[in-house]
Amino acid sequence: MITAELIRAARIIRHGGVVAYATEYCFGFGCDPMNRSAVWRLLRIKQRTPDKGLILIAADVGQLESYVNDIPATARATWPGPHTWLLEPRAGVPGWITGDHPRIALRVTAHPQAAALCRAAGMAIVSTSANRRGGAPTRSYRETLRRFKGKVDCVLSGKVGAAPAPTPIRDAASGMLIRPG
């Protein structure tokens, strides 16, 4: 459901801000992945180095097509859902998204609010856990607000999904499981 709060959060993302929002497993931080200053700010909030790369989530496959040349059927068959795939990035995808990795991490989310945020923003967005380096991710709106109010531009109220762990990450080229779920 599109709410005024969701529209505000989407506007913040489009204008270079950082938003916290509920995902399948935990709250996440999001921003426009093509906005370098927004991504760097998000990394500073997390106290995370840029070499690790970032996951992008989308409401549908179409929002991911500008980042890759091909989305294999194996990935498409698991979406929307809590499955992140490493794919060959399209030429020109910024290094601040991939970090030191040769692939880009993508997911079409099944979380209703996260998908609605992507739709309202009109783009795939960064999705990285709402935590500082080494800390546990936040799992509720209240906890996220308590820990990150004033550090992010908006904490979108919502509930995390039922996933018992972060989404598994699988390399589409090899089929290898990189991070179990």
Side-chain angles (χ1 to χ4, degrees), residues 24-38:
E24 292 90 342
Y25 169 69
C26 64
F27 265 72
F29 291 140
C31 67
D32 176 352
M34 297 305 286
N35 185 319
R36 181 185 174 128
S37 62

Side-chain angles (χ1 to χ4, degrees), residues 64-158:
L64 299 175
E65 290 174 343
S66 64
Y67 295 97
V68 292
N69 290 319
D70 180 52
I71 299 175
T74 52
R76 289 175 187 265
T78 66
W79 290 338
H83 303 278
T84 301
W85 289 88
L86 298 176
L87 302 170
E88 186 71 32
R90 194 179 282 253
V93 168
W96 63 75
I97 296 173
T98 59
D100 289 348
H101 304 285
R103 303 210 188 295
I104 187 170
L106 304 174
R107 176 170 79 249
V108 175
T109 183
H111 188 278
Q113 186 185 51
L117 180 59
C118 293
R119 273 192 296 282
M123 68 178 84
I125 63 174
V126 169
S127 186
T128 183
S129 58
N131 64 328
R132 292 222 168 95
R133 183 180 54 211
T138 60
R139 301 218 354 113
S140 73
Y141 168 73
R142 283 185 171 216
E143 180 186 11
T144 307
L145 195 58
R146 182 178 57 77
R147 286 173 54 188
F148 296 105
K149 184 179 182 182
K151 293 173 180 53
V152 297
D153 300 302
C154 173
V155 178
L156 191 56
S157 61

